[in-house]
Amino acid sequence: MKVYECCGVESVTKKVYCSTCRQEIKNEREVPDEGTVYSYTVIHIAPADYAHLAPYTVALVQLKDSTAKLTVRIQESVQIGDPVQLDQIADGTYIYQKVRTA
Amino acid sequence: MSVYVHSVSMTKFGNSENTSLKDLMLAASREALEEARELKIDAVFVGNYMGGSLANQEILGAIVANDLGLGPIPTAKLEGACASGGIALRQGILGILSGEYESVLVVGVEKMKHASTATVTQFINSAMDQTTNERYAGLTFPGFFGVVANRYFYETGANKSHLAKLALKNRENALQNPLAQFRKPATLEEIMNARMITDPLGLFDCSPITDGAAAVVLSRKPSDIKILASAQASGPTMMQDAIDLLSLPAIRISGQQAYEKAGVSPEDIDVVEIHDCFSMTEMLAIEELGFFPKLEGWLAIEQGKTCVNGEKPVNTSGGLLSRGHPIGATGVAQFYQLVLQLRGHAPNQLEKQPRLALAQNLGGTGSYSVVHILERV
C-alpha cells in the first residue's frame, strides 16, 4: 500500500499540492496492507450499481505504521478495533478480511 | 454597505407529482417577488443540484428571468451538492456587496420524488469524489454518516437512542409546520426499531427524498431583517481523508468566520437552522458551531437543550429530517423559517421573539459549509 506525505499529513490519495506548504507532494512510501477497523457501517440501502451486494460492510481502516486511513469493503461483520488485512483488489475496490488467528 | 432580506417563500415540501421542476421554482419565485414588488430585480441566483441528471432540465436562471418577466438580467445556477441553496444565497449577497446589484432573487429548487431510491442514491453519490477507491468500495452518503456515528458511539457515551431523540425532536417540530413533508407523529420506539439504512442509521435518521422550492429577495435597501454575516468554507471530499472523523472542519471554520464578521458569539444566537441531512450530522454541527463542547452534543440532546423551549432551539422547522430535503432548496428554506422566527410568526415560534438567527447549510461529506447570521433590526 502506497501512502503520500507532506508536512506530516499522510494519505492514500495522491493530491497535487500540500495545503500547508503549498509545494508539490513528492514523498511516498510503502506501508503494510494491514490495519485495524477505525469505524464501519453496514449498507442496507445501496446505490443502483451495488444493490446486488447489499447488505455489505464498508469500513474505514487505520493502516498499520501510518496515520493514513483507507476505505474498504469487507464481506463479514466487524467491530471497531478488529485487525484486518487485504484480501484482494477487485475493480478498484480494496476488499479486506479479518485477520485469522491460527 | 449591508444586505437585507425583503421577502421569503417556500412551496409545500413533499411529493409534487404533477408539478415540474420549473413550476416549483416559478411558484416559490413568484411568491417572493409578489412580497417585494417595490424592488427591481437586478440578478437571479438559483440553487440546484440534480436538475440536469434527474429532471433533464438546466438553464434554470434564464427560465426564471424569462417566465417572470425580469428582463435581460444576468442569472446563474450554483451547485455545491446539498449546500447549493446556501451558496446561491451567498453569491446573491456578494453580488449586492460588490455594488453590481441593488436587489437579487435567490431561489432553490429540487425535484426528486419521481425517481427510485436507488437512482437518487446513485446520483447523490456524485457529491463524493467518484474517481477513488472509496466510490468503488460502495460507500454512500448515509454510509459515511453511519461510519461517523459508530465511531462517535465508540468515543462517547452516546448510543442510537440519542440520535433517535434528536430525530424525534425534529419530527415533533415538523408537526407544527404546515409546509413540512412529514406531519405524522412518531414515537421513540418506532424510530429506534425502524428499517436500517446504513447501520446504525435507520429510516428516521436519514433525510427523505423531497420535491420543493424556496425563494428569497435580497436588497441593499433596508428592511426589518439584516444579514450580519455570510461565510463559506471547504473540507475533505473523501471519508478516508478526514484528519478527525468526528469533525466537519468546514462547519467549524465557516461558523467561526461568520461569528467574527457579525461580531457575535455562539451564546448570542437565539434560534438555529442546521443541516441535519442525518441525525448524526446535526449532532456534529451543534458541536462544531460552538453551541456545545466537542463530543458532548449528545448530552445536550439528552437534556433537551435543542428543543423549541430549550436554551438553543435547533431546527424549529423540523429540519431536513422532517421538513424535507429538496437538495437545492434546503439552504433557502432555512432562511424562510428563520425570517419567520425573527418576525414572530413561525411554526414553533419561540416564546421570546428572537433577534439573532443562524443558518448552516452543508454539502457533500463536509466538502462545503455555508453559515449565515440574520438579525432583526
Side-chain angles (χ1 to χ4, degrees), chain B residues 110-122:
Chain B
E110 212 73 58
K111 170 93 177 157
M112 307 164 71
K113 286 292 279 187
H114 59 290
S116 71
T117 301
T119 303
V120 172
T121 306
Q122 182 107 0

Side-chain angles (χ1 to χ4, degrees), chain B residues 249-273:
Chain B
I251 299 183
R252 187 179 65 248
I253 294 163
S254 56
Q256 283 168 348
Q257 288 178 353
Y259 293 135
E260 196 173 315
K261 286 179 188 197
V264 303
S265 66
E267 297 75 46
D268 300 324
I269 303 293
D270 300 315
V271 62
V272 185
E273 287 287 311

